[in-house]
Amino acid sequence: MYQIRTDLALETQQKMQEDNIELKGVRFFEEKIDKNLTISRVVIETENGAKTMGKPKGTYITIEASNMDEEDEDYHREISVQLARIIKELVRTKKEEISVLIVGLGNREVTPDALGPRVVDNLFITRHVMKEYGRYAFGEDVVNQISSIVPGVMAQTGMESLEIIKGIVRETKPELVVVVDALAARSTKRLNRTIQVTDTGINPGSGVGNHRHGINEKSLGIPVISIGIPTVVDAATIVNDTMYNLVTAMMQSEAFSTLGRSLKDLNDAEKYELIQELLAPGLNTMFVTPKDIDESVKRLSFTISEGLNLAFLGGKTGNKKQKHA
């Protein structure tokens, strides 16, 4: 069966809409903040909608910022403010003060997968200070207890990330888990320019076909919010987009119009299957990332960590030795 290789609910919803597939039990909203910043919401309300979308029931909020890959601190600050607002919206508690465990998923040694660990590096951690001195050490009446962990990947630890997180949750008893991870996108235009925030948790590695146990409210027993930015795209998807442009050009050429029409008549599944066959065996599972991914991950990790600090600590900064790229 043809599958859209993406972690973004927005891309799945748009693809379903393009294919005229009726989405019952799925609502979509879009809010234009300015010409370079759009916030979209995909709300999956029913099991039928979840089955059609191939994603769990819940709310998926996407920040699309066309200039997010640029070095503009004011622009990134605006994105962080919007991210903080969304995180607060998804926190389902009336309590003024909560305990939050922030998990940076991914492999620090692989740049496109290092987003989670980098975000944790820049967080303002408070739990240990609160345990020792109380909230008044910060000069505030209300201070959330923030702790963090980078569990690594199975190749480094021999353990599932879920196993490590469950142990920490059992011992430290947070009321909320926030998971940060790199994602895979369907479109190259969304690489390093999109943030997805959802209250459904996450399945690490699902976007690149490396399915691991889900980190969600069902598996941990407490609410889980996941935050991710797509840093890779499937190579076959890039070829598919190139084929679309090629077919369009062929249709306009008298010499190649017949071949162009033949290719145009193929459905998405047939095109994708053809591409997989044409790609060399070593390439059909390849994922591609932008050449400046190291600077992008460094910059975007600050954007997310600042959003988290704003959401839970009113904007206190983390590792002050670090500076924006």
Side-chain angles (χ1 to χ4, degrees), residues 144-303:
N144 292 315
Q145 290 190 33
I146 308 299
S147 56
S148 68
I149 183 67
V150 177
V153 294
M154 184 177 278
Q156 297 169 324
T157 65
M159 294 177 282
E160 289 275 2
S161 295
L162 177 61
E163 293 175 316
I164 297 171
I165 298 166
K166 281 179 85 169
I168 293 169
V169 167
R170 186 168 56 248
E171 289 296 319
T172 63
K173 296 179 174 55
E175 295 160 282
L176 173 70
V177 171
V178 178
V179 181
V180 183
D181 197 11
L183 306 177
R186 161 67 181 79
S187 169
T188 54
K189 294 177 183 177
R190 288 196 168 92
L191 292 181
N192 302 327
R193 296 183 179 93
T194 304
I195 303 174
Q196 177 175 269
V197 189
T198 175
D199 59 4
T200 63
I202 195 168
N203 283 81
S206 60
V208 295
N210 182 23
H211 296 274
R212 309 254 50 102
H213 294 300
I215 300 167
N216 48 47
E217 186 167 1
K218 183 179 179 181
S219 62
L220 292 180
I222 56 174
V224 178
I225 293 173
S226 68
I227 302 171
I229 293 178
T231 58
V232 297
V233 66
D234 187 1
T237 296
I238 297 175
V239 177
N240 184 62
D241 292 345
T242 305
M243 178 185 279
Y244 175 82
N245 294 331
L246 177 63
V247 169
T248 303
M250 283 180 167
M251 294 288 286
Q252 297 170 353
S253 168
E254 191 173 322
F256 296 103
S257 60
T258 302
L259 178 57
R261 277 194 297 273
S262 299
L263 291 172
K264 188 174 184 294
D265 289 339
L266 296 174
N267 61 36
D268 284 340
E270 290 168 334
K271 287 177 185 173
Y272 197 83
E273 188 177 337
L274 174 62
I275 290 165
Q276 294 281 28
E277 289 176 1
L278 291 174
L279 286 172
L283 296 178
N284 61 12
T285 56
M286 182 174 287
F287 284 80
V288 181
T289 194
K291 64 180 181 180
D292 59 345
I293 190 63
D294 49 349
E295 287 300 315
S296 293
V297 166
K298 183 179 178 182
R299 187 160 52 244
L300 295 173
S301 66
F302 277 101
T303 303

Side-chain angles (χ1 to χ4, degrees), residues 44-215:
I44 304 176
E45 299 177 312
T46 65
E47 290 297 341
N48 183 56
K51 186 177 179 181
T52 305
M53 290 280 289
K55 296 186 181 297
K57 283 197 305 181
T59 302
Y60 299 80
I61 302 176
T62 307
I63 302 172
E64 293 182 275
S66 57
N67 295 335
M68 197 160 75
D69 60 336
E70 296 182 6
E71 295 182 29
D72 184 336
E73 287 198 20
D74 291 335
Y75 186 64
H76 279 260
R77 173 73 178 185
E78 183 183 353
I79 296 168
S80 297
V81 169
Q82 293 297 334
L83 175 60
R85 178 172 68 87
I86 290 166
I87 293 168
K88 289 178 181 178
E89 177 187 325
L90 293 180
V91 175
R92 304 191 305 267
T93 180
K94 300 293 184 183
K95 294 177 67 175
E96 285 190 344
E97 194 173 284
I98 61 172
S99 175
V100 183
L101 170 64
I102 300 175
V103 180
L105 291 177
N107 187 343
R108 194 185 291 276
E109 306 303 319
V110 179
T111 307
D113 198 33
L115 180 71
R118 287 286 192 94
V119 168
V120 167
D121 289 345
N122 300 302
L123 291 173
F124 191 82
I125 304 302
T126 63
R127 184 177 181 271
H128 58 306
V129 179
M130 291 276 285
K131 290 286 184 183
E132 187 72 24
Y133 304 108
R135 64 179 65 86
Y136 300 108
F138 298 96
E140 304 284 349
D141 292 331
V142 176
V143 181
N144 292 315
Q145 290 190 33
I146 308 299
S147 56
S148 68
I149 183 67
V150 177
V153 294
M154 184 177 278
Q156 297 169 324
T157 65
M159 294 177 282
E160 289 275 2
S161 295
L162 177 61
E163 293 175 316
I164 297 171
I165 298 166
K166 281 179 85 169
I168 293 169
V169 167
R170 186 168 56 248
E171 289 296 319
T172 63
K173 296 179 174 55
E175 295 160 282
L176 173 70
V177 171
V178 178
V179 181
V180 183
D181 197 11
L183 306 177
R186 161 67 181 79
S187 169
T188 54
K189 294 177 183 177
R190 288 196 168 92
L191 292 181
N192 302 327
R193 296 183 179 93
T194 304
I195 303 174
Q196 177 175 269
V197 189
T198 175
D199 59 4
T200 63
I202 195 168
N203 283 81
S206 60
V208 295
N210 182 23
H211 296 274
R212 309 254 50 102
H213 294 300
I215 300 167

Side-chain angles (χ1 to χ4, degrees), residues 12-14 16-17 21-27 49 52-53:
T12 304
Q13 185 270 339
Q14 288 177 341
M16 298 283 184
Q17 200 170 38
I21 296 173
E22 189 177 2
L23 285 174
K24 291 183 179 179
V26 179
R27 291 186 293 130
T52 305
M53 290 280 289

